Amino acid sequence: MVYFSLVASCFILVATAAQSIKQRPTSRNTSAAPIVVQSSQYFDGDNGNWSTIAIRVGTPEQTVRVFVSTNSPITAVVQPAGCEAKANPTGVPVNCVDSRGGTFDSTKSSTWNRRGHFELNGGNGVGFEANLGYSLNLNYGLDVIALGYRDGVGSQRLSNQTVAGFNLPDPFYLGFLGIGVEPVIYKEFGNYSAPSFFEQLAIDGLIPGLSWSYTAGAAYRLSAGQSMQLIFGGYDASRFIPNNVHFTLKEDSTRDIVVGVQSILYAKRETNLTTLLPDPIYAFVESTDPNIWLPIESCLLFEKAFGLTWDESVSEYSLNSTQHNTLTRSNPTVTFRLAASTTGGATVDIILPFQSFVHQYPSVPNATYQFPLQRASNPSQYTFGRIFLQEAYLTVDYDQGNFSLSQCTFIDGAPSRVMSIPGTSASNESGSGTGDVPNVPTGESPRRPIPIIVSGVVVPTIFIIIICAVGFWFWKKKQRDKKRKAGESSVGSAVSVGVDETAMNNPTTGRLVEVDGRDKTRELPELPELPEHDASHKLASNDVTHELASNDVPHELV
C-alpha cells in the first residue's frame, strides 16, 4: 500500500510539472466568428510609411499604435523613457511620443505583473529574428491587452498577456503585436508558459481555429492609402486573387513560413525582363522586419537595375531624387515567382511596383530615399519582410499546417467578404481547416506547434523522478532489512516448532517465504524495479522556445 501511494504521489508530481508547461485546447469552437482587427488609420514608422493597429494595454487602458509581427510570440511596447535623451543619443525625435505610436507606463497599470528584464531571444542567438541580428533588452511582464481604440465589434480583451517594454529606437522604433505560436517560458517563475495573444484566442474558443490572415497595407495605393488587414480565424476574399499553390509550414517555429523563390524578374515598359536572382532560394516570409534580404549576387543585380547606392556605414541602400524621379516615370515592377520548392510545381507571382520599394524616411534628407533591400550573409537570412506583404496576402492555418500567398487587389470601396477558416480538433478528426480559401491545401499532415519543454522544465521534472527513485530505493532497502531480520527470527521460531530450516526458501522461485503461526507459508511479493531515468536526457524538438534568461541591465538601456 505504501508502495502504491509513493508511485501515485510521484506520478501526480510529474504530471503536474508537465501540465504547467502548456495548455492546449482539445477542440476548436468552429461556431465562433473570425475577428477582424481594425487598423489605426495611421501610417507610422521611422523607416517608411507603414499601416499600424491600435491596442490598449493595462488598467486603466493606455492606447498605443503598433505593427503586427507574424513571427513574435510577445507584444512589445515603447516605454516613456524611450523619448528621453538617454535612449536617443543623436537627439530626441520631434513629437517623439506620437511618432513612436504612443508609450506604455507599466507603473500606472494596476494589473501589471512584472517578470523582469530579459534579453530578446534569451541572448543565445536563437529565436525571434535572431538570424537577422535582432538584440534588445526588454522589461517583461503580464498585463491586459485589448484590440482597437475601444470595446466593440472586432475588439477582444485578454488578461495575463506577455507585454515587453523597451526604450531604444533600434531595432524597433514602434512596438508590435506578436501573433506567433511559440510560447514564452519564464524559467525564473516556475517555468510559467504564456501563449501569444493569437493562440490564447484559440485556446479560449474566441475564434474558429488557430489561423489568421494578414496583409501589411500600402500607403501608396488608392486615394488615401490602403490600410493593413489582420483577421484571426478567417480571411477576406475581396482582398486577393486566388491561386492553386499549396505551401506547408516548416517545423521550425521561428522560421516556419518558408517559400521557394524560383525567380525574381525586373521589368520596365521599354525593356525586356531582367533576372535579379541568379539561383533559386528558399526565403522566410515575415512582417516584423521591413526589408527584403537576398544574396549579395542578387543585391548587385538590384543595384544595377535601380541605380542604387550602398552605404557601408549604415548598411543601407538609397536613391537620390534624380534617380527616384526617373524610376517613378518609368514605373518598373519586380515579380517574385514562388512555389513550394525551388524547381517545378505550381507557381504564384507576386508583383511589386516601384512605389512599394521607396518610402521617404523621416530621419534622412528629403533628397534621399531609402530602398528596403538588405545583403544577406547566409541562407538563414533570406527573408521577405513587411515591404513584400504590402502586395501579398498571407493566410496561415496552424491546425492544418499550411499557408497560402496571393497577389493583393486594391479596389476602392470594395465590400469585404470575410470567410471563416474552420478549426480542427487536436486529433485532426474533423474539418479540413481550409474554409473557402482555394489555395490552402487539404489532406496535409497537421503541423501543430510542438509543446515547448526546455531545460528549465525538463530538469525539475527529472529532478522529481530522481527524488522519487532515491526515496523508493531507501524504502525498498528498509523493507529488505526488515525481511532479513524477520527471516532470522522466523528461523529460530521454525526450529523450535519442528519446521525444517530449508522450508524457509521456496525451491521453485528461490524467493524468501514467511512462516506464520499456523505452520503455513505465503510468498512475499517481489517489488518491481523502478525504471532508471537518465537526468541528462533531453527532449528532441525542431521548435525553438522563446526562452527568457534573466539579464540585469540599466533601466535606460531597456
Side-chain angles (χ1 to χ4, degrees):
M1 187 68 180
V2 175
Y3 162 69
F4 288 109
S5 298
L6 179 63
V7 172
S9 299
C10 291
F11 176 79
I12 292 172
L13 286 171
V14 173
T16 301
Q19 186 179 16
S20 67
I21 295 166
K22 191 78 175 81
Q23 293 288 337
R24 290 194 178 276
T26 57
S27 62
R28 302 297 184 206
N29 182 9
T30 55
S31 63
I35 296 175
V36 180
V37 181
Q38 301 300 317
S39 75
S40 69
Q41 303 301 315
Y42 282 81
F43 289 92
D44 296 293
D46 68 328
N47 55 7
N49 297 313
W50 308 105
S51 181
T52 53
I53 64 172
I55 61 173
R56 291 161 286 152
V57 186
T59 308
E61 297 172 341
Q62 301 174 48
T63 302
V64 293
R65 301 189 307 276
V66 296
F67 296 131
V68 173
S69 171
T70 57
N71 188 29
S72 174
I74 69 172
T75 293
V77 291
V78 180
Q79 299 176 133
C83 284
E84 296 177 359
K86 291 180 180 179
N88 299 275
T90 59
V92 178
V94 177
N95 300 322
C96 179
V97 173
D98 183 65
S99 72
R100 298 196 70 176
T103 60
F104 169 71
D105 188 346
S106 61
T107 65
K108 295 181 179 179
S109 174
S110 62
T111 48
W112 174 257
N113 185 349
R114 185 179 182 275
R115 286 302 190 226
H117 291 90
F118 302 98
E119 185 173 352
L120 190 70
N121 302 322
N124 57 8
V126 176
F128 167 50
E129 290 296 21
N131 292 333
L132 302 185
Y134 279 32
S135 178
L136 188 68
N137 295 309
L138 302 106
N139 177 27
Y140 279 79
L142 302 177
D143 213 328
V144 177
I145 296 178
L147 299 174
Y149 287 113
R150 61 186 65 86
D151 289 336
V153 178
S155 176
Q156 289 293 341
R157 182 191 310 274
L158 297 178
S159 301
N160 295 319
Q161 295 302 296
T162 297
V163 178
F166 64 98
N167 298 331
L168 299 180
D170 184 63
F172 309 117
Y173 190 70
L174 271 74
F176 52 82
L177 174 71
I179 61 173
V181 294
E182 178 188 14
V184 179
I185 293 181
Y186 298 95
K187 295 202 301 182
E188 281 76 6
F189 294 88
N191 297 301
Y192 174 76
S193 176
S196 69
F197 185 92
F198 154 64
E199 189 168 12
Q200 192 64 55
L201 291 174
I203 291 173
D204 292 347
L206 299 174
I207 53 177
L210 203 62
S211 59
W212 51 255
S213 59
Y214 172 74
T215 182
Y220 52 87
R221 289 288 193 174
L222 307 181
S223 57
Q226 176 67 71
S227 295
M228 55 71 60
Q229 187 182 72
L230 172 63
I231 302 177
F232 293 125
Y235 62 94
D236 186 348
S238 72
R239 295 289 296 268
F240 64 89
I241 302 172
N243 61 76
N244 63 346
V245 181
H246 303 159
F247 297 96
T248 301
L249 289 165
K250 304 302 181 184
E251 289 297 330
D252 181 359
S253 63
T254 65
R255 290 181 72 85
D256 51 358
I257 305 173
V258 174
V259 298
V261 187
Q262 295 191 355
S263 65
I264 302 177
L265 301 173
Y266 172 89
K268 286 196 300 187
R269 286 190 296 268
E270 67 274 15
T271 62
N272 295 324
L273 294 176
T274 303
T275 182
L276 300 180
L277 185 70
D279 299 298
I281 61 172
Y282 286 99
F284 177 46
V285 180
E286 204 273 320
S287 70
T288 317
D289 193 274
N291 302 288
I292 290 178
W293 295 67
L294 292 173
I296 180 63
E297 297 82 5
S298 181
C299 290
L300 294 177
L301 293 173
F302 267 86
E303 288 182 24
K304 183 177 180 180
F306 287 95
L308 304 176
T309 301
W310 175 253
D311 188 339
E312 193 70 44
S313 62
V314 293
S315 297
E316 290 180 349
Y317 278 108
S318 62
L319 283 169
N320 59 39
S321 58
T322 301
Q323 186 67 7
H324 173 265
N325 294 336
T326 300
L327 290 169
T328 300
R329 289 191 297 270
S330 61
N331 192 28
T333 60
V334 177
T335 300
F336 296 83
R337 181 154 295 169
L338 312 177
S341 63
T342 54
T343 58
T347 63
V348 54
D349 288 349
I350 306 297
I351 303 173
L352 271 63
F354 172 67
Q355 297 97 315
S356 65
F357 287 97
V358 285
H359 290 253
Q360 183 64 56
Y361 287 25
S363 58
V364 298
N366 292 333
T368 305
Y369 296 82
Q370 301 299 112
F371 196 93
L373 175 68
Q374 285 290 315
R375 296 176 173 181
S377 59
N378 58 70
S380 72
Q381 290 188 330
Y382 299 162
T383 303
F384 288 175
R386 197 182 312 131
I387 174 184
F388 176 77
L389 289 168
Q390 294 174 118
E391 297 285 331
Y393 195 94
L394 173 62
T395 301
V396 181
D397 185 347
Y398 289 99
D399 282 324
Q400 288 293 317
N402 56 45
F403 68 96
S404 65
L405 274 167
S406 304
Q407 181 77 50
C408 283
T409 57
F410 300 92
I411 304 173
D412 213 347
S416 296
R417 290 193 292 124
V418 177
M419 312 294 288
S420 176
I421 301 177
T424 60
S425 67
S427 59
N428 197 34
E429 293 175 351
S430 63
S432 67
T434 62
D436 294 319
V437 182
N439 49 332
V440 177
T442 59
E444 298 284 356
S445 299
R447 182 272 189 202
R448 294 185 50 76
I450 300 173
I452 303 302
I453 304 178
V454 295
S455 60
V457 175
V458 174
V459 171
T461 304
I462 294 179
F463 184 66
I464 292 172
I465 296 174
I466 293 173
I467 289 177
C468 292
V470 172
F472 179 77
W473 182 84
F474 278 110
W475 176 82
K476 184 177 179 182
K477 183 175 183 298
K478 185 175 181 180
Q479 294 299 311
R480 285 174 175 171
D481 290 341
K482 285 182 179 180
K483 287 190 295 182
R484 185 173 62 254
K485 291 180 181 179
E488 293 172 355
S489 176
S490 297
V491 169
S493 175
V495 172
S496 67
V497 295
V499 178
D500 190 350
E501 186 174 349
T502 58
M504 300 301 300
N505 292 321
N506 185 318
T508 303
T509 64
R511 296 170 180 167
L512 283 175
V513 295
E514 183 182 64
V515 181
D516 60 24
R518 291 168 294 176
D519 294 337
K520 294 181 181 180
T521 63
R522 58 183 175 84
E523 184 176 335
L524 293 179
E526 183 178 19
L527 297 178
E529 294 292 335
L530 186 69
E532 294 183 359
H533 294 273
D534 182 4
S536 64
H537 178 68
K538 296 181 179 179
L539 297 180
S541 173
N542 291 328
D543 279 358
V544 183
T545 303
H546 191 87
E547 180 183 330
L548 300 180
S550 181
N551 185 24
D552 293 329
V553 294
H555 178 71
E556 63 269 14
L557 296 181
V558 178

